[in-house]
Every structure is written in C-alpha cells, then in structure tokens.
Amino acid sequence: MADSFGETTNVGCFSRLIESIKGVVVGFVLICVSVIVLFWGEGRAVHRAQALAEGGKAVVPVNATPVDPANEGKLIHLSAEANSPGGLSDSEFGVSAPNALRLHRKVEMYQWEQNEKTETKKNLGGSEERTTTYTYEKEWKRARIDSSKFKKPNHDNPDAMPYTEKSWNAADATIGAFKLNDVVLEVLSPAKIIVPDSAALDTINKQSKANAGTKASISSEMIYLGDPKNPNIGDVRIGYAALPSGPLSIVARQIKDTFEPYKAKSGDVLLVQTGSASADAMFKQAEEENAQMTWIIRIVGFVVILIGFSLLFAPLVTIADVVPLIGSIIGAGTFVAAVIITIPVWFTTVAIAWVVYRPLIGIALLVVAIGVPVAFMVLRKPLQKMQPANS
C-alpha cells in the first residue's frame, strides 16, 4: 500500500501575480525555443529525405562473400547470415550468450519513488488554496532516485547503484566475408532474453558483494539480490538480453572488409536491421521513420508554443481571479486566444523553414499561413453588416 500525506498552502493574490509575471518570461523562452526547434526539425527532415534519396540512387547490391575491392568507398547493400563463433559473456556474473552479436545487462534497484499531485481552489479576492498530496511507492528503477529531496523523511534510498548497466559487442562478428564493427552493431538492440543458469548463480554468490548479507537467486528470468517475492529497499535484480546470430541486412559504405556511414551531400546514410530485407524496403522504412520523427517534432512544438502563449496571458487570468467565476471565464477565453495565435505562428514557422529548404512548397505554405487569417478578417466585416438586417 502506498504511503502518502498532504500539505496545504495559501497563496495570496499578489504572490500569484508575481508567479504569473515570472511565467511570462518562461512562456516567451518556450515560444522562442520551440520556434527554433521547429525550424531545425524541418531542416532535419529535408536533409534526411535528400540523403536517403541520394543513397537510394547510389546503393549497389553486393554478395556477402567474397569482398569485392571494386566497391571500395561505395554505398553497398547486403543481406546474409551474421555470426559470432565466440559469443559473449559477462564475466562479473558468469552469464554467457553463445553466438551472440550483442549482449546487454540491465540493472534495476528497488527504491522509494515520490509522486506529487496538486489541487487548487480559488478564493474570492484572488488568493488560492493549494493542496499537494505526496505519495510514496516502492518501484523497480534503472537509475538511482535521490531521496534527500523527499518531503517526508524515512523514505531513504541507497546512495548508489551497486552495479551498472553494460553492453558488449562481439569482436569476432562477421557477415559473410565482412567484419561487423561497432558502427553497425550499435544500431541494433538486443531483444532475446538470456536466462542465467545455476553456474552463473554460483559465481554471483561467491562474490563479496552478494555475500554481504544478501543471497542471490533466479526468478522470472532475472537474477535477484534479495527476496523476489518480498523485495526490500535496496534489493537488486539483473536481467540480460542478447542479439543472436542470424540474418542481417545492411546499407553502408564499404571500407575494405567492414563498414562505415555513407557521406551523402545532406547527411549520413547507415541502415541496419535484423532479418532479410531488400535495399528498397530498407530505404522505404527509413523514409517512414523520418516522417514519423518529423511529425513528433511538429506536434511537440505546437504544444509547447501553446503553453508559452498561455503563460503570456496568465497575469490577466490572475487579476480576473479576484472574482473566481470571472477568472474562469477569462481563463477559457485566453486559452482560446492562445490556440488561435499558436496556429499561425506554428504554420508560419514551418512555412518559412520550407522557404529556406524547399522554396516552392514553402512559399505555398506561407501564402496559406498568411492568407487564411487575412481572408477571415476581410470576410468577417460583410458578415457583421448583414447581421442587423437578418435580425
């Protein structure tokens, strides 16, 4: 059961006004930063698309064996079985992954986590009553949580993680006659769960750290330093995942018998994925990922700009909160105003970026961004004149 307690504070109208004025500065910074990131994001998208287009035209399909010196420096595509005869192991815990291309050790510690939720109640005169509820729960976390800043004492976490996460790449990994270097392997994520065996458990229990009052066991495919059924604060669990040998597809620049990113005019091209895939399929997937990332940046940028404009209007809402009902009405109105302003700012930023990176499309977007608000203002006047006649 979670442990929690509440804390109530009263914030006067003047203090709230000072906070909102500070928020104006924050809002202005958020708008500026978001506009810059949006502009950069559009440039990133265009450069990535251009690099992929150039790579798609330059790529040369090759066989995995033998290595053809005639392709030196070219962008090549190959799809074949990747192997690592020696495999990988974590000598610290005695866990091995035969024939693995990559091995990753994940470490989690059982800790206190503080969550907080604040509810506000506006009072007549502009003051505000804030009730913050702090909830403490025990969770498995991959990074240490600093408990020194917790509101409520007696929820102490250890000073450090006893073990660190770590990854290994096979030094003897090959694909046909080519050597798989870190440039290629680092792109891939280990996914196959490796279950430690009894030999690994014996190795762990012989270590001084494990013997210092804590016995290791294996449960749910992980090593537990503590009781897996009833964990205590400071207990640790360690899991492993590997990337096994198998089919691998690569689009990269050939350098002797290994690989590096291909230097296109607009950026690097390096595509790697498990399984057998054609060059066309790999470039198509890369293009889809580029489009997804572009829209993520756009949506996040829109939201942050909206937050920024909302903060600019915050002092008006605070002043109106002298009468809470009026403050709520003004708050709703300023939010609508923030949305109305955010749309053309966002649209114009994207359009200007495209004017810089792709002029023809950018100019068309800019015309829309400016033309729609202007058309709305022009058409609104005749409609306003017609209203008395229709009433």
Side-chain angles (χ1 to χ4, degrees), residues 88 100-104 167-170 185-186 188-190 241-243:
L88 292 165
L101 304 175
R102 295 199 74 196
L103 178 65
H104 179 72
S167 293
W168 296 264
N169 295 332
L185 294 175
E186 291 290 343
L188 301 167
S189 299
L243 175 68

Side-chain angles (χ1 to χ4, degrees), residues 96 176 185 205 210 219-220 228 246 374:
S96 60
L185 294 175
N205 279 320
S219 179
S220 301
V374 171

Side-chain angles (χ1 to χ4, degrees), residues 25-42:
V25 178
V26 175
F28 181 76
V29 172
L30 287 177
I31 294 168
C32 292
V33 171
S34 297
V35 166
I36 293 171
V37 172
L38 269 176
F39 194 92
W40 168 84
E42 296 304 314

Side-chain angles (χ1 to χ4, degrees), residues 4 51 68 74 92 96 111 147 181 206 238 261 270 299 301 339 363 383:
S4 64
D68 187 351
K74 293 181 180 180
E92 187 174 10
S96 60
Q111 306 175 69
S147 58
N181 54 10
K206 289 178 182 178
I238 302 167
L270 174 66
I299 292 170
V339 172
I363 291 172
L383 290 174

Side-chain angles (χ1 to χ4, degrees), residues 20-272:
S20 64
I21 292 173
K22 292 179 180 178
V24 170
V25 178
V26 175
F28 181 76
V29 172
L30 287 177
I31 294 168
C32 292
V33 171
S34 297
V35 166
I36 293 171
V37 172
L38 269 176
F39 194 92
W40 168 84
E42 296 304 314
R44 183 212 64 82
V46 171
H47 289 152
R48 180 61 174 164
Q50 290 173 342
L52 291 173
E54 180 181 339
K57 295 177 181 178
V59 68
V60 177
V62 302
N63 294 319
T65 183
V67 176
D68 187 351
N71 293 320
E72 179 72 14
K74 293 181 180 180
L75 180 65
I76 63 170
H77 165 264
L78 72 157
S79 185
E81 287 285 322
N83 295 287
S84 172
L88 292 165
S89 64
D90 179 0
S91 58
E92 187 174 10
F93 291 102
V95 176
S96 60
N99 306 115
L101 304 175
R102 295 199 74 196
L103 178 65
H104 179 72
R105 179 175 77 193
K106 180 177 72 172
V107 180
E108 297 175 308
M109 185 166 67
Y110 203 56
Q111 306 175 69
W112 284 110
E113 183 178 39
Q114 174 181 277
N115 298 304
E116 57 183 272
K117 180 181 179 181
T118 301
E119 296 180 349
T120 60
K121 179 183 177 182
K122 296 178 181 179
N123 302 317
L124 189 64
S127 65
E128 191 173 72
E129 184 181 272
R130 299 175 184 173
T131 301
T132 302
T133 302
Y134 299 91
T135 304
Y136 298 87
E137 297 179 324
K138 297 175 182 179
E139 301 284 351
W140 288 102
K141 294 293 180 180
R142 296 173 70 174
R144 176 184 173 267
I145 299 174
D146 185 2
S147 58
S148 64
K149 298 179 181 179
F150 286 179
K151 279 286 185 177
K152 190 176 182 179
N154 301 323
H155 294 85
D156 300 324
N157 290 325
D159 294 332
M161 298 285 290
Y163 301 98
T164 58
E165 294 202 7
K166 192 173 181 181
S167 293
W168 296 264
N169 295 332
D172 62 350
T174 60
I175 181 167
F178 289 86
K179 295 177 181 178
L180 287 172
N181 54 10
D182 290 346
V183 170
V184 172
L185 294 175
E186 291 290 343
V187 178
L188 301 167
S189 299
K192 182 182 178 181
I193 301 299
I194 300 297
V195 183
D197 55 20
S198 57
L201 192 61
D202 292 339
T203 301
I204 298 165
N205 279 320
K206 289 178 182 178
Q207 295 185 47
S208 59
K209 288 183 179 179
N211 290 332
T214 304
K215 186 176 179 62
S217 61
I218 296 175
S219 179
S220 301
E221 303 179 331
M222 301 182 79
I223 299 170
Y224 279 79
L225 298 175
D227 185 353
K229 295 181 180 179
N230 187 29
N232 295 311
I233 297 299
D235 284 0
V236 175
R237 66 183 184 185
I238 302 167
Y240 290 86
L243 175 68
S245 296
L248 200 64
S249 300
I250 302 172
V251 172
R253 185 186 183 201
Q254 177 179 317
I255 299 297
K256 296 183 179 179
D257 62 348
T258 190
F259 312 94
E260 71 174 28
Y262 177 78
K263 302 291 183 182
K265 293 179 181 179
S266 299
D268 293 348
V269 176
L270 174 66
L271 308 178
V272 185

